[in-house]
Amino acid sequence: MLTLKTPPHAAVDASALLLQPWADLPASAISRLPLRVEGSGPAALGDLFTVTGERSARVRLIGDLSRFERVGAELADGEVIIEGDVGPGVATRMRGGRIAVTGNAGWGAGLEMAGGLVDIGGSAGPRAGGAALGAKRGMTGGELILRGSAGAEAGACMRRGLVVIGGSAGEGVGRASIAGTVVVFGTAGPNPGQWSKRGTIVALGSVTPPATYRYACTYRPEYLGLLLRHLGSRRLPVTREQLTGSYRRYSGDLAELGAGEILAWTTN
Amino acid sequence: MNIRGVLIEDTFAEAFTMRAARLVITGASPRWAMAAALKLTGFATSVIGCKCEAGIERELAADETPDGRPGVSVLFMTMSKDDLPKRLIERVGQTVLTCPTTACFDGLPNVPDRVGVGSALRFFGDGFQASKVIAGERYWRIPVMEGEFLVQEKFGMMKAVGGGNFLILARSAPAALAAAEAAVDAMAGLTGVFLPFPGGVVRSGSKVGSRRSKTMIASTNDAYCPTLRAVTKTDLAEGINSVLEIVINGLDAPAISQAMKVGIDAACRDDIVSISAGNYAGKLGPHHFHLRKIMSDGAAG
C-alpha cells in the first residue's frame, strides 16, 4: 500500500512504476523505485509515498494522484487500486490485469490499451480509450469502464475492445473508430461515430447521429442481450427495458467505409 | 442378479471414443429454441449412416443461457475430431441459422480444444457480417432477413463416449415398448448424456458386417431377432418375443453409467425377462459397462 505524503507541485512521470515485479519486491526495494518529477528530475518512490506491505501483486495507491501521469502504463498483469483521482494517461498501452480508480482520471485514460480491465469510478478527460494525438490506433483490446462521464473523443480511432461510459460522452465519441464498441448510458455529445469504419456505438441515452449516418431499421440485436448482461455483471445500471427493448440502427459513417453503426435504444 | 424378478445378465455394453460438442441454442421462446434443436438433431441417430450422432440433453431456463432467453442444450458427436467442425458447420448453418429468433452458443466453455463454427458460418454474411468480443469470447453477427443471427466463433470439443447400451428382452412387444418408454422417461434430463435414436429407442440393433455382402459394415442382429429364432444361432431364451435397445452417448463414462443404472432400473417391469447389452467381445471399443457392476454400485465401466 502506498499512501501519498503530500501532493506534488509538478507533474510526475509514473510510467515505469508498475512495470516492476511487485510480487517479488521487499518494502525497501519498493521505496527505492524511481519516479521522475517534472523540473526536478528523478525521485524515489519512498520520498513521495509512505510504503507499507511488500511482495504483493495487488498494489493500492492512496491519495490525490492527479499530478501523476501514465500510472499503470503497459501493465501486463496484477491488480492496481487507486483510491483518489489520477492524472493523464492512466493504463496507457495496458496489456492485462486490472486497474480500478475510485476518483476521476485525466485525459487519455486507457490510451491505446490492448487488454485487461480499467474501471474508473468517476469521470475521465478527453480521448479515453483513444489514440494519442497523431497516432492511427486507439484501443486494440480490453475493457475500459468510466462510471462517470467522458470528455471529447472517447474511443477515438479504437480498433477493438469495449469502452463503457456510465454518464454522458463528450463530442466525437468513437470518432474515426476502426472497430470496437462504445456504450454510452447517458447523452452522447455531437458527432458520435464520425468517420467510423466499423465501430459500434450503443446509445442508451439521447443521441443525434451525424448526417453521414443513415437509418436502417428498428430491431433487437441479440448480441446486445449478451453485452448488456455482461455489463450488468460489472455493476453497471442496465435496466430490463434496455435488455429486452428495441434499438434504432443507423449505418455509417457513409463518408467512410459505412460498416459502422449507432444502435440507439428506443422506448417506442 | 435380479431386479424385481428381471434377470440382469452377466455381460457388458461396449462403447467407443467419440468427439463431442455441446451447443446451447436460444430463441425468443422455448418453441423456437426447440424447433431449431429438433431440426439440428434430426437424422443423427448413428454415424453409420448420418455421419454424426446428436440429441437434446435438456431444456434450459432463461437464467441458464448466455443471452437470458430460453434455450435447449444439445450434445453432438462424431467419430473423428476432423469431422466434428464439418458436421457442426453443416447442421448449425442449415438448421439454426435458418430458424427464426435463434442464437447458438458454445456449451463447453472450459474445454481447451476449440473448433471454428461461427468463423465459417460468418461468410454467409457476404461481407456484411460483424464480430464482437464480449468477455473474451468472439461472436459473429450475421445479417439475415429477420434481423441478425448470432453465433459464437468457436465451440469446445472434447473426447466423449458413444454406444453405451442395454437391451430389454420381453415376453411381448407391448411389454418391451412400455419398459423402453419407462427407461427413456427416467433418463430424460440427465446431464451429460443423450439418446440418439427415435424416442430414445432402437428396434434394429445391428451386428458388425453382413452374412452376404462384404461392403456392408452393419446388418441386422439376427441372434436377437425373435422371428429368426428357428433359423439362426439365437441368443434369445424361450419366452422372449421382442427386444428393444436403448443406446446412450455421453460426455464421459460415469455419465453413461449413471444413465444406464437409472434406465435399467426403470425398465425392470412386468413381462420383462432379462436385461442384456451389446458388445463385440471387447474387441472394438475401450469402454466396457458391466451391467451387474453398474446396478450394484453405479461405477463406470
Side-chain angles (χ1 to χ4, degrees):
Chain A
M1 184 167 74
L2 308 175
T3 306
L4 188 63
K5 293 175 179 172
T6 53
H9 298 294
V12 178
D13 179 2
S15 57
L17 187 62
L18 292 165
L19 296 177
Q20 312 298 328
W22 283 70
D24 302 328
L25 293 180
S28 57
I30 293 172
S31 295
R32 290 197 300 272
L33 290 175
L35 295 169
R36 180 166 287 278
V37 182
E38 189 179 64
S40 58
L45 188 67
D47 296 341
L48 298 173
F49 289 88
T50 302
V51 179
T52 53
E54 58 186 357
R55 293 188 175 90
S56 173
R58 189 167 187 261
V59 179
R60 283 176 69 199
L61 297 146
I62 300 172
D64 178 7
L65 304 186
S66 54
R67 304 298 301 264
F68 285 73
E69 299 180 355
R70 294 159 56 89
V71 176
E74 301 188 37
L75 185 74
D77 56 25
E79 183 178 19
V80 179
I81 299 166
I82 300 168
E83 296 184 12
D85 293 344
V86 69
V90 62
T92 293
R93 299 197 186 102
M94 176 177 164
R95 290 175 285 136
R98 177 176 179 268
I99 295 178
V101 180
T102 62
N104 300 317
W107 79 273
L111 199 74
E112 300 176 8
M113 69 181 280
L117 171 65
V118 178
D119 190 336
I120 295 172
S123 297
R127 290 239 153 191
L133 291 173
K136 287 183 177 176
R137 287 188 177 185
M139 268 178 82
T140 56
E143 290 182 34
L144 172 61
I145 297 173
L146 313 173
R147 295 184 187 269
S149 297
E153 297 189 333
C157 302
M158 67 188 291
R159 172 68 182 84
R160 293 189 197 91
L162 174 64
V163 176
V164 183
I165 301 165
S168 60
E171 193 262 340
V173 60
R175 174 166 285 161
S177 58
I178 303 162
T181 303
V182 182
V183 180
V184 185
F185 279 74
T187 300
N191 296 318
Q194 190 179 37
W195 310 320
S196 168
K197 289 184 170 67
R198 289 183 178 275
T200 295
I201 294 174
V202 180
L204 301 173
S206 69
V207 62
T208 304
T212 46
Y213 275 67
R214 186 177 297 158
Y215 172 72
C217 69
T218 300
Y219 77 128
R220 182 190 167 199
E222 296 308 336
Y223 100 94
L224 275 189
L226 221 57
L227 175 62
L228 294 177
R229 281 166 66 90
H230 173 65
L231 297 186
S233 75
R234 298 272 195 227
R235 297 181 294 104
L236 284 148
V238 177
T239 66
R240 180 172 176 76
E241 289 74 21
Q242 290 163 347
L243 271 170
T244 59
S246 295
Y247 290 77
R248 291 171 62 84
R249 184 177 202 264
Y250 297 87
S251 295
D253 185 329
L254 299 175
E256 267 286 351
L257 188 61
E261 62 186 349
I262 295 174
L263 298 170
W265 179 51
T266 175
T267 51
N268 297 325
Chain B
M1 173 186 270
N2 274 271
I3 297 177
R4 294 185 291 278
V6 177
L7 172 67
I8 307 299
E9 293 188 7
D10 186 11
T11 187
F12 62 93
E14 188 172 352
F16 309 90
T17 298
M18 299 181 78
R19 292 297 192 286
R22 177 189 272 144
L23 291 76
V24 174
I25 300 169
T26 64
S29 65
R31 167 183 174 160
W32 288 109
M34 185 57 77
L38 288 171
K39 281 292 180 189
L40 186 137
T41 57
F43 187 55
T45 56
S46 169
V47 290
I48 293 173
C50 310
K51 301 179 183 176
C52 65
E53 299 181 7
I56 290 170
E57 186 180 24
R58 65 188 184 95
E59 292 188 64
L60 301 171
D63 61 3
E64 295 179 284
T65 65
D67 62 358
R69 302 190 300 165
V72 176
S73 175
V74 167
L75 293 176
F76 193 99
M77 293 188 187
T78 60
M79 288 304 289
S80 77
K81 59 184 179 184
D82 293 335
D83 259 358
L84 193 75
K86 290 179 191 170
R87 305 286 90 83
L88 280 173
I89 291 163
E90 286 172 357
R91 293 203 173 220
V92 174
Q94 295 302 310
T95 65
V96 189
L97 185 153
T98 56
C99 183
T101 79
T102 57
C104 193
F105 303 103
D106 172 35
L108 296 174
N110 300 320
V111 170
D113 273 354
R114 318 291 291 168
V115 295
V117 177
S119 55
L121 293 175
R122 68 186 165 122
F123 292 109
F124 182 73
D126 198 21
F128 296 105
Q129 71 273 18
S131 78
K132 290 293 170 191
V133 176
I134 301 171
E137 283 293 330
R138 184 175 296 279
Y139 302 85
W140 284 97
R141 299 164 59 195
I142 301 171
V144 291
M145 294 192 300
E146 179 205 40
E148 281 179 359
F149 171 57
L150 182 67
V151 60
Q152 199 158 340
E153 176 167 82
K154 293 188 173 176
F155 285 64
M157 174 176 69
M158 63 182 285
K159 283 186 177 179
V161 182
N165 68 81
F166 61 90
L167 302 170
I168 301 167
L169 289 71
R171 296 188 204 286
S172 68
L177 191 62
E181 289 173 352
V184 169
D185 289 346
M187 289 185 281
L190 290 178
T191 300
V193 295
F194 69 97
L195 313 179
F197 282 92
V201 187
V202 195
R203 68 173 177 180
S204 57
S206 58
K207 66 176 181 288
V208 175
S210 159
R211 292 192 312 143
R212 292 174 169 257
S213 168
K214 290 182 179 175
T215 59
M216 284 187 72
I217 58 173
S219 63
T220 192
N221 191 358
D222 52 279
Y224 281 85
C225 291
T227 58
L228 302 179
R229 191 198 311 267
V231 294
T232 193
K233 185 174 181 300
T234 187
D235 282 337
L236 298 179
E238 283 299 317
I240 294 170
N241 291 299
S242 184
V243 179
L244 289 174
E245 182 177 1
I246 308 276
V247 172
I248 305 157
N249 290 0
L251 293 181
D252 55 30
I256 290 180
S257 291
Q258 177 62 21
M260 288 177 67
K261 183 179 175 75
V262 169
I264 289 170
D265 185 72
C268 290
R269 299 159 54 103
D270 290 346
D271 288 328
I272 304 302
V273 176
S274 61
I275 301 292
S276 187
N279 65 61
Y280 309 94
K283 294 175 183 170
L284 293 181
H287 305 284
H288 300 164
F289 297 92
H290 293 266
L291 300 187
R292 292 185 176 179
K293 183 170 171 52
I294 285 172
M295 296 314 292
S296 59
D297 63 17

